[in-house]
Amino acid sequence: MGLHDVIQENRPLTVEQAEATDEVFDQVAPASDYRDQVVSEFLELDPVPLHAQTRDQKLPVEVDRARRAIRNVADSSNRTEANVEQRVKQVYDGPGEKDSEIARFAEDLKEIESQL
């Protein structure tokens, strides 16, 4: 069993999901463990249409879905939602608007989903 097999064994993703994720995000990037968990959660969640969102300020459907996935990972890992979000967005270099980074992250998650 090689190092790649050991790493894959500890991931919360199927082999196909891991391969699609690795095409979008570098497997050895910071916080890849959290990103894998968020990808797994994202793929499990159904999109909630704008009219069905319960928040005051409606979010684009995929951004809402990404935020819910982050929230679920935070809840299950005893971390704050802000901490998990900050960690998964570490993969994006340079300064940026918080909203644009989460939108970019949501697009990357959608790209992973489309590859499956």
Side-chain angles (χ1 to χ4, degrees):
M1 178 180 279
L3 180 59
H4 182 269
D5 295 328
V6 170
I7 291 171
Q8 177 56 39
E9 185 176 289
N10 294 324
R11 293 177 86 177
L13 303 170
T14 66
V15 171
E16 294 81 16
Q17 291 170 339
E19 288 173 354
T21 299
D22 293 346
E23 287 183 26
V24 175
F25 300 116
D26 186 359
Q27 186 176 349
V28 295
S32 61
D33 54 338
Y34 282 103
R35 224 171 347 276
D36 281 354
Q37 291 175 49
V38 172
V39 168
S40 179
E41 284 291 324
F42 182 87
L43 294 172
E44 295 287 322
L45 294 171
D46 291 325
V48 174
L50 288 175
H51 71 276
Q53 289 181 22
T54 57
R55 64 179 76 230
D56 292 333
Q57 185 177 3
K58 307 297 184 189
L59 295 174
V61 173
E62 297 309 327
V63 172
D64 173 70
R65 192 171 162 205
R67 288 204 177 278
R68 287 186 291 129
I70 289 168
R71 186 177 321 114
N72 290 349
V73 170
D75 290 346
S76 69
S77 63
N78 201 25
R79 300 270 184 220
T80 66
E81 187 175 338
N83 180 264
V84 173
E85 181 178 332
Q86 177 187 22
R87 293 188 54 129
V88 298
K89 293 188 313 185
Q90 285 177 342
V91 70
Y92 304 111
D93 291 337
E97 298 283 328
K98 182 178 180 179
D99 291 338
S100 66
E101 284 182 355
I102 194 68
R104 185 174 169 195
F105 183 61
E107 285 298 315
D108 286 343
L109 293 174
K110 191 66 181 162
E111 182 181 333
I112 292 166
E113 182 178 50
S114 72
Q115 292 181 26
L116 300 173

